[in-house]
Amino acid sequence: MAAWLVGRGDAPPAADLRAAGLGAYAYTALAPDHPHRALLRMDYMRAVARRLDIRGALLPLLRTLQQAGIPVLVFKGFHLSEFVYPVPGARTYADIDILLHPESTDDARRASEAAGWRVDYDSAEVGQPHFHTAFELTHPGTGVCVDAHRYALGAMTPGLRLKRRVTRAVWARARERTWEGVQVWEMDPVDALLVGLVLGRAWGADGWGVKAHDAVDWRLLRDRFAIDDRELEERARELGCARTLQLFRERCDPEQGRLELGRPSRAWVRRARALSAPENFQLGATLLRAVQAPRVAADVAAALPYVIRARQAVRQLPDLGELLPSLTSAAPPLDAAASRASRFRTIRGVCWGSRLTSTARGCDCLVRSVALYGALRRQGWPVSFVSGVRMEEGRMRKHAWLELNGRPIPELREFTHAEKYRENFRYPPPAPAWPVPEPRKAEPRREPVPAAAVALAG
């Protein structure tokens, strides 16, 4: 995979390209007579169909925000797919990332709700007004998701000057353009490469991990806009991330033939943290946990009974088809606006509780998902339990997660599991794609009326 992405090897099998999220791109990049291309045609067709759904849902929202005088900057996957890749739709992405001025987020949220979009998450409601994500939206008709950011960086620490300074610098060099008749803003190409890609991987939740499409994003941005090393390094010095850029290029630099996919070793990450900017996502998350420790402890205490019961239930009744119906309680109608904060605290408590009570390394996703299913169903959230499998390094990996309104619950940040794992179980089961007609009742056989009787009736 890495050799092909840097132009030094043949294309990997179609299944590997599809698993890496490169199926649609590979269909547009491979030669017409390449044997893998025909196998990837449906990947590209699905990407085109999804792009049409996104276009139909997003355009009215952008028009509403434009009429309200709220500037919107599009970046990351959606921006690359529409404005950088040679063929729109070839770059896949989980949701649409937009950047708003921090002072306009409240107005933008109200305008979005008035336009018919559903708010799935609001950082201010859950006590994190400093979080880079202001709110998350879902379009009820198509399931299209929008992640509205107040900062261009993923740093979590309250009062962090770096994220505000970088965000202001991004807006200062942003460019306005027209997309489908609507005015939007986009990052300067150098910022799209440096902030959208490099800092997103290095200072964000990815922890210096490199994804397969990062090499394509890097190469297309540099080639299309003729970005040279001099202006890239100069901008990195302005933003205070020159060392981070150098470290990232040790793992991803297609021009030099370097590409190390996945997460780096712990030793490499420790070295990178010591040499790069100290104000990064991991440090911010650690400080934030220390500040919120008392509230987290209270959430764990409230959620621990659900975790203990879920662990016992999974051992005693491993058949999920029998276990989950017993946890599906009827609840009163849910006031989502008033309950999102309680949902956040319940999820936080269950996640930490499952880690603390787990005997295995890491978090037991099955116990966590069963506990969350029971707890959130009791609150009235119509969540679904989903499990799936995938092959990784010759071994079958299993995972379980929860979905709300057709997508993974936003607090767990597991938006790509539906793409990575092949679903093998869901509860409640999905509705049939086509309505199943009810069997017709057999009508009693009617005996022919004798002609004499007809004559008498006449």
Side-chain angles (χ1 to χ4, degrees):
M1 178 72 72
W4 176 70
L5 288 170
V6 299
R8 301 188 179 185
D10 296 330
D16 293 344
L17 291 167
R18 185 176 297 114
L22 295 173
Y25 166 73
Y27 178 81
T28 65
L30 294 174
D33 58 347
H34 195 282
H36 294 351
R37 196 168 186 268
L39 301 175
L40 298 170
R41 177 178 174 81
M42 287 307 300
D43 295 76
Y44 176 67
M45 297 302 294
R46 281 192 290 267
V48 171
R50 184 172 182 269
R51 178 178 178 266
L52 293 176
D53 285 342
I54 290 173
R55 179 183 178 276
L58 187 61
L59 276 174
L61 176 64
L62 294 178
R63 290 195 189 99
T64 298
L65 297 176
Q66 179 179 319
Q67 293 170 0
I70 301 173
V72 176
L73 185 149
V74 294
F75 68 123
K76 293 188 179 181
F78 172 78
H79 168 258
L80 295 168
S81 177
E82 292 295 325
F83 305 136
V84 177
Y85 275 59
V87 181
R91 170 62 155 83
T92 58
Y93 49 91
D95 51 17
I96 302 161
D97 292 283
I98 64 174
L99 181 64
L100 306 169
H101 288 294
E103 62 272 12
S104 68
T105 55
D106 291 340
D107 293 337
R109 176 193 157 164
R110 287 191 290 268
S112 302
E113 287 184 298
W117 287 69
R118 182 179 63 243
V119 177
D120 286 337
Y121 169 82
D122 188 301
S123 60
E125 288 182 351
V126 300
Q128 292 184 329
H130 52 272
F131 195 56
H132 65 279
T133 296
F135 55 87
E136 295 176 2
L137 302 171
T138 299
H139 187 264
T142 60
V144 173
C145 303
V146 172
D147 191 356
H149 299 249
R150 58 167 63 91
Y151 301 117
L153 293 179
M156 295 178 63
T157 307
L160 197 64
R161 291 177 296 176
L162 179 64
K163 62 184 178 184
R164 293 187 173 90
R165 179 167 58 81
V166 172
T167 302
R168 287 195 298 267
V170 165
W171 274 112
R173 288 179 58 166
R175 308 187 303 187
E176 192 173 13
R177 70 178 300 160
T178 302
W179 179 70
E180 303 289 348
V182 179
Q183 298 302 117
V184 296
W185 293 80
E186 63 176 341
M187 288 185 179
D188 176 84
V190 176
D191 287 348
L193 179 59
L194 189 58
V195 179
L197 175 57
V198 176
L199 297 189
R201 294 286 178 261
W203 293 355
D206 294 315
W208 297 91
V210 175
K211 298 182 180 180
H213 52 65
D214 292 348
V216 185
D217 298 347
W218 176 285
R219 177 173 52 80
L220 290 178
L221 280 167
R222 295 200 62 167
D223 292 349
R224 178 158 186 160
F225 300 101
I227 301 173
D228 58 27
D229 288 344
R230 180 191 57 79
E231 60 180 328
L232 187 61
E233 293 168 1
E234 181 180 344
R235 182 60 167 169
R237 286 192 293 270
E238 292 176 6
L239 299 180
C241 59
R243 186 59 179 164
T244 298
L245 173 63
Q246 182 179 348
L247 288 166
F248 182 83
R249 296 183 74 169
E250 290 183 8
R251 308 201 68 239
C252 180
D253 192 343
E255 287 90 353
Q256 301 299 321
R258 288 196 296 266
L259 182 61
E260 298 179 15
L261 298 175
R263 286 182 176 268
S265 66
R266 293 186 178 181
W268 195 95
V269 171
R270 284 195 295 269
R271 180 174 72 92
R273 290 181 184 176
L275 296 176
S276 64
E279 296 174 314
N280 55 42
F281 181 92
Q282 290 78 14
L283 177 61
T286 302
L287 295 176
L288 184 63
R289 291 190 187 109
V291 172
Q292 295 182 338
R295 283 179 289 176
V296 172
D299 296 341
V300 172
L304 209 54
Y306 289 101
V307 176
I308 295 174
R309 285 198 295 267
R311 197 171 294 282
Q312 294 174 345
V314 168
R315 286 198 300 263
Q316 297 173 1
L317 191 62
D319 186 352
L320 294 174
E322 298 181 17
L323 172 61
L324 294 174
S326 65
L327 302 176
T328 310
S329 59
L334 179 70
D335 183 1
S339 303
R340 277 191 290 266
S342 62
R343 184 184 77 190
F344 172 81
R345 299 192 64 179
T346 298
I347 293 173
R348 182 170 64 182
V350 168
C351 289
W352 277 104
S354 60
R355 291 176 188 171
L356 295 174
T357 60
S358 177
T359 57
R361 182 179 178 181
C363 176
D364 187 343
C365 64
L366 177 59
V367 172
R368 182 191 70 180
S369 299
V370 170
L372 281 176
Y373 181 85
L376 295 180
R377 277 279 177 172
R378 191 175 183 87
Q379 292 180 10
W381 293 101
V383 294
S384 299
F385 178 99
V386 188
S387 66
V389 296
R390 70 169 177 171
M391 296 301 296
E392 183 178 300
E393 298 179 353
R395 299 178 59 186
M396 180 176 291
R397 303 286 185 181
K398 299 179 288 185
H399 190 62
W401 66 95
L402 292 190
E403 291 187 1
L404 178 65
N405 301 316
R407 66 187 295 246
I409 51 179
E411 288 83 357
L412 294 179
R413 323 305 294 177
E414 297 180 335
F415 302 123
T416 60
H417 284 334
E419 302 173 2
K420 290 182 178 180
Y421 291 89
R422 178 175 296 179
E423 181 180 318
N424 62 0
F425 179 80
R426 175 181 291 269
Y427 190 86
W434 299 96
V436 179
E438 296 183 0
R440 297 179 61 183
K441 295 182 180 180
E443 296 182 0
R445 183 180 178 183
R446 296 182 179 181
E447 297 294 337
V449 181
V454 173
L456 289 174

